[in-house]
Amino acid sequence: MALGLRLGLGFVLVLVPLLFVVLLAGARLREMQQVSADLVTHGMPRLLAMQELVEHAQGHGAAMAALLTAPRSEREHLYPALDAESAAMDRLMAALAAPPAASPTASPARSPGAALAAVDEARHRYRAVFAEVGERLEAGDASGAAALFTASGRPSLEALMQQARALRAQEQRLLTARQAEMAERISQAEWQLAVLSLAALGLAGLLAWRSTTGITRPMLRLADMARRLAAGDYNARTDLRATREIERVATALNGMADAVAARDAEVGRIAFVDATTGLPNRAAIRRHLGAQADSGRAVIVLDLARLSAVNDVMGYESGNRLLRAAADHLLQVADGAHRGSDSGHDGEHWQLGCLGGGVFVLAGRGVDSEAVQTKAETLTRASSLVLGPDTGSVDLQFVAGLALSTPIDTTGSAADADRLLRDAEQAVGAAKASHRTWSWHRADDPAQRQRQLNLLGGLRRAAAKGELQMWLQPKWPCVSQLHGASQIEGFEALVRWRHPQWGWISPAEFVPFAERAGHVGLITDAMLSMALAQLAVWRPTHPAWHIAVNVSTADLLDPGFDQRVRRIATQAGAPLHRLRLEITESRLMQDADRVLEVMCRMREAGVRWSIDDFGTGYSSLAYLQRLPVDELKIDRSFVTEVDLDDTRARLLRTIVDLARSLQLKVTAEGVERPEELSLLADAGCDCVQGYLLGRPMPAADAATFTAPATAASPAVGATALRSASALP
């Protein structure tokens, strides 16, 4: 029954005395209803906003700590989280600073006041320190950034959180005071109603008692529910059965609790779930690895090949479908793996996650190296998936990196989890470099790491002081070599570093390290300068010779690369049409669209292009037709002992025929036996290079070098090979 009707019937019975009771009770009830509404519309949202402010401050600190420990390649994935936390704090501060809507029962003490100003001041102090930490971090001063965050950033963050908690405590005290005030007014109403009830005989007293008990108890239950919500118990609900007005308040509180719980679940989903695949993300995997401290924790990182090709050819939606299909495939293949958190059973336990960019991770606990290796071999077996009726099948190929915790890694800390993930990701790179499907992480020798750092630091000095030298390996027309001719086609330029302390340093040691550190441009510029200078020297005497220089994708992504090459050629007086630039197939396919424009501009200037190590990457024929390429260089892995394997011989002839159909010149690398040379000539290969025909030599010796007699007989060829091996 509605409260007004209930009281109206009583008024009819008690006549005039009860009229005063109705007036008094009605006034008190309206006031209590307004207080409840104020609690729901103003007090609770503000209290929840203050709670969110504390949580986002904590989240920003955690994200900042992760940023300081993350390598440069992973920082760009952390900045959005930092920005989101900062934006959330700005939004909450703006909401708290805004004046509340007009309410006859709102307390003046609810204005932002000094506590809110203190929170805002602490937030600005922390933001200033955060900005300076970011500047130092982006400037490469990671240690300085970490020191600044420890010295100033962390205290500022703690001050911010302390002020936010103080503001939250103040709001809680205000709500408690309002509740106490409301209870006191209810008590006064009880006394007043009791006096009037005595005057209105027993019926008025009964009416007063029923009115007060029918209101205060539900309100106390609602207040208790509000306190539970404020404390973070989002499961708090009430099935209150009272007057319609109070039931509406209870329904509103239940709806608010549902909305807050849904937002909290959504925040958790965003924080710990990959949006594309629905798998746990890096943060969830770190939490999974750190959930138990033992030495049986392992990580298998799986890099999905050909994702970029699917994105380029079929679009990003198809790429996303491929990722989701790959996730389902891994769940089926990885027996015992699951999407969610711990299942709770003992023994071997695996969880599948996604690190983004086509990289999956399988995190295990309670496993040994044999189980990890068996799992990796199972996961890297190639299979095919059909993405749609118009796309056909797509081969799934994974390259895996394996890492296992050591006996000393028993803390289960986030640092241990990060180390395992980092080790497994490094193992993926090692597997790709060695053309294997999986590889264990191998700890680097500290002395070797120090040597690499010293080499990287001395690379700029080496380029400036001429320690980098250009050695040339001759390229010969295949048919002329088979018939004993000695006409050189050109040379490939190979970098050599003569270190003043360590002597000759292999390019395999410093070139990949320079590429990863972003310093490969120093090597490229030095080699281009020496190659163009040598072409200028040969211009009067050997005008038909060319020199091929290897370049990196990073060079082609530099918008000023083509202008720099033109400038070097002009200064040296060298013909650009005798310069050939070689880029490896795998690197070219990674950024084909972005480098196409640069390649076309240089092709118009006369530069010729070669695809190096052809057959070791994942080329797209559509891109090969678009690229301004003149030559394919067959990798030595297809040439070595090709005459001893009919299947490999047929594959090599297929590659040559493919190049012919694209009107490209074909050069074979790594020729070391006369039988290989003979088969290449029979297959229609244009040019050859290798130790059989000449080892790399200083540029000064190239003009006087003549080819060994490789075609007379196998015996002569073997003698020539021994002679070539004696070259520097």
Side-chain angles (χ1 to χ4, degrees):
M1 184 181 296
L3 183 60
L5 180 58
R6 181 188 301 178
L7 294 177
L9 292 176
F11 293 161
V12 173
L13 297 176
V14 298
L15 300 175
V16 176
L18 289 184
L19 178 61
F20 295 97
V21 174
V22 172
L23 293 175
L24 181 60
R28 291 293 182 265
L29 287 174
R30 285 192 300 273
E31 184 179 1
M32 286 183 287
Q33 187 175 4
Q34 291 170 353
V35 169
S36 299
D38 180 63
L39 176 66
V40 173
T41 58
H42 299 291
M44 286 306 303
R46 285 177 59 84
L47 189 59
L48 291 174
M50 295 169 187
Q51 175 66 25
E52 287 188 40
L53 182 62
V54 174
E55 293 174 355
H56 284 298
Q58 291 174 338
H60 197 283
M64 191 63 194
L67 180 67
L68 290 172
T69 58
R72 178 178 293 271
S73 61
E74 298 177 3
R75 292 175 190 162
E76 62 181 14
H77 301 295
L78 298 175
Y79 283 117
L82 287 167
D83 294 339
E85 297 291 356
S86 297
M89 288 192 287
D90 292 342
R91 173 180 55 80
L92 292 171
M93 286 299 299
L96 292 173
S103 173
T105 61
S107 172
R110 186 164 290 166
S111 60
L116 186 59
V119 173
D120 192 59
E121 181 181 357
R123 181 170 63 96
H124 285 296
R125 287 199 302 270
Y126 173 68
R127 177 174 290 177
V129 176
F130 163 66
E132 186 174 352
V133 168
E135 291 176 359
R136 292 193 180 185
L137 192 62
E138 291 303 316
D141 187 8
S143 61
L148 177 61
F149 182 73
T150 302
S152 301
R154 198 179 303 279
S156 299
L157 178 61
E158 292 174 354
L160 172 59
M161 295 175 61
Q162 182 178 1
Q163 293 295 338
R165 292 190 184 101
L167 179 62
R168 182 184 61 188
Q170 176 181 337
E171 186 68 15
Q172 289 175 333
R173 288 193 296 272
L174 288 173
L175 291 177
T176 303
R178 291 292 293 153
Q179 293 166 357
E181 179 184 355
M182 183 175 62
E184 181 180 358
R185 292 188 180 184
I186 292 173
S187 178
Q188 293 175 357
E190 289 176 347
W191 282 103
Q192 293 170 352
L193 290 172
V195 172
L196 292 175
S197 296
L198 289 175
L201 302 175
L203 186 58
L206 178 62
L207 179 61
W209 177 79
R210 289 185 59 85
S211 298
T212 55
T213 56
I215 295 172
T216 56
R217 290 176 182 175
M219 290 302 298
L220 289 174
R221 290 177 61 183
L222 293 178
D224 179 67
M225 178 181 173
R227 283 191 293 269
R228 290 172 61 190
L229 289 175
D233 182 9
Y234 301 138
N235 293 321
R237 300 291 187 276
T238 180
D239 56 351
L240 188 63
R241 293 294 181 266
T243 63
R244 294 176 184 175
E245 294 83 358
I246 295 178
E247 287 182 357
R248 282 198 296 269
V249 174
T251 302
L253 278 176
N254 286 336
M256 182 182 68
D258 291 336
V260 172
R263 284 197 296 269
D264 185 69
E266 179 65 14
V267 169
R269 188 192 67 81
I270 294 174
F272 296 104
V273 176
D274 177 69
T276 302
T277 63
L279 294 174
N281 60 9
R282 182 182 293 271
I285 293 297
R286 292 175 67 249
R287 184 173 60 177
H288 171 78
L289 289 172
Q292 181 175 344
D294 56 30
S295 59
R297 289 173 296 152
V299 169
I300 302 175
V301 171
L302 298 149
D303 191 349
L304 176 61
R306 300 179 181 172
L307 175 61
S308 60
V310 172
N311 287 334
D312 293 338
V313 176
M314 292 190 274
Y316 284 94
E317 182 57 36
S318 295
N320 290 337
R321 290 203 304 271
L322 176 61
L323 287 175
R324 289 188 288 268
D328 294 336
H329 170 77
L330 290 175
L331 283 170
Q332 296 173 3
V333 174
D335 183 32
H338 59 96
R339 291 177 181 267
S341 57
D342 298 344
S343 62
H345 59 76
D346 297 331
E348 183 176 320
H349 183 81
W350 294 94
Q351 180 176 359
L352 181 65
C354 182
L355 303 183
V359 179
F360 296 88
V361 59
L362 198 66
R365 297 206 318 267
V367 297
D368 55 18
S369 60
E370 182 178 355
V372 176
Q373 184 168 320
T374 301
K375 187 74 69 175
E377 291 173 347
T378 302
L379 295 172
T380 53
R381 293 194 184 101
S383 61
S384 296
L385 288 177
V386 178
L387 299 183
D390 300 327
T391 58
S393 63
V394 176
D395 291 340
L396 282 183
Q397 285 191 340
F398 293 97
V399 178
L402 287 58
L404 188 67
S405 61
T406 62
I408 62 173
D409 298 329
T410 58
T411 62
S413 64
D416 290 338
D418 289 336
R419 184 195 60 77
L420 276 173
L421 287 170
R422 183 181 65 251
D423 290 349
E425 289 169 332
Q426 291 176 353
V428 170
K432 290 181 178 180
S434 58
H435 303 291
R436 300 176 59 187
T437 57
W438 60 269
S439 176
W440 277 102
H441 173 262
R442 297 288 183 261
D444 294 335
D445 181 7
Q448 180 64 19
R449 289 200 302 269
Q450 185 61 43
R451 173 183 169 92
Q452 289 180 334
L453 289 175
N454 291 338
L455 289 177
L456 183 61
L459 187 57
R460 191 178 299 276
R461 183 206 69 242
K465 294 188 175 181
E467 296 176 13
L468 297 181
Q469 298 183 14
M470 179 182 70
W471 285 44
L472 300 175
Q473 184 174 24
K475 296 168 59 177
W476 304 86
C478 184
V479 176
S480 65
Q481 272 303 299
L482 189 65
H483 294 86
S486 59
Q487 179 63 41
I488 293 177
E489 172 84 9
F491 296 87
E492 179 179 1
L494 305 173
V495 64
R496 297 290 186 267
W497 185 354
R498 188 162 192 169
H499 196 279
Q501 179 181 355
W502 297 320
W504 291 106
I505 300 174
S506 171
E509 181 176 1
F510 67 87
V511 172
F513 194 68
E515 287 182 334
R516 291 195 299 270
H519 287 57
V520 71
L522 296 173
I523 302 175
T524 303
D525 287 352
M527 293 296 291
L528 285 172
S529 298
M530 289 184 284
L532 290 169
Q534 188 63 52
L535 287 174
V537 172
W538 287 343
R539 191 169 191 171
T541 57
H542 302 89
W545 285 1
H546 70 262
I547 296 180
V549 178
N550 286 277
V551 295
S552 169
T553 306
D555 296 318
L556 300 184
L557 293 178
D558 181 358
F561 179 70
D562 58 323
Q563 295 296 330
R564 192 163 66 250
V565 174
R566 293 171 190 256
R567 184 175 62 255
I568 296 173
T570 301
Q571 294 173 350
L576 271 178
H577 66 279
R578 290 302 173 188
L579 175 65
R580 181 161 293 165
L581 298 183
E582 296 184 359
I583 184 168
T584 59
E585 177 189 10
S586 57
R587 294 172 184 167
L588 178 61
M589 289 302 106
Q590 291 173 359
D591 295 282
D593 284 333
R594 299 177 62 187
V595 304
L596 178 60
E597 183 178 353
V598 176
M599 293 178 66
C600 289
R601 289 201 304 265
M602 299 190 70
R603 183 66 175 81
E604 292 173 357
V607 176
R608 298 295 185 265
W609 287 96
S610 298
I611 295 183
D612 199 11
D613 298 337
F614 183 78
T616 61
Y618 305 106
S619 290
S620 166
L621 293 180
Y623 276 115
L624 285 179
Q625 290 178 329
R626 291 173 55 194
L627 295 173
V629 176
D630 301 279
E631 178 185 36
L632 294 184
K633 298 191 69 176
I634 302 176
D635 185 71
R636 66 178 62 249
S637 61
F638 293 92
V639 176
T640 302
E641 298 182 349
V642 66
D643 57 296
L644 304 179
D645 189 333
D646 291 340
T647 301
R648 293 177 59 206
R650 288 194 296 271
L651 177 60
L652 187 142
R653 290 189 176 93
T654 300
I655 295 175
V656 174
D657 291 340
L658 171 64
R660 292 292 189 188
S661 66
L662 295 175
Q663 298 182 351
L664 299 178
K665 194 173 186 178
V666 184
T667 297
E669 299 178 297
V671 180
E672 298 184 356
R673 299 168 55 246
E675 294 82 1
E676 296 167 356
L677 177 61
S678 177
L679 190 146
L680 288 168
D682 182 61
C685 187
D686 296 298
C687 294
V688 289
Q689 65 182 85
Y691 285 180
L692 176 65
L693 307 170
R695 295 173 61 91
M697 66 195 76
D701 299 338
T704 59
F705 179 77
T706 57
T710 60
S713 68
V716 174
T719 304
L721 176 59
R722 288 192 295 271
S723 175
S725 300
L727 294 173

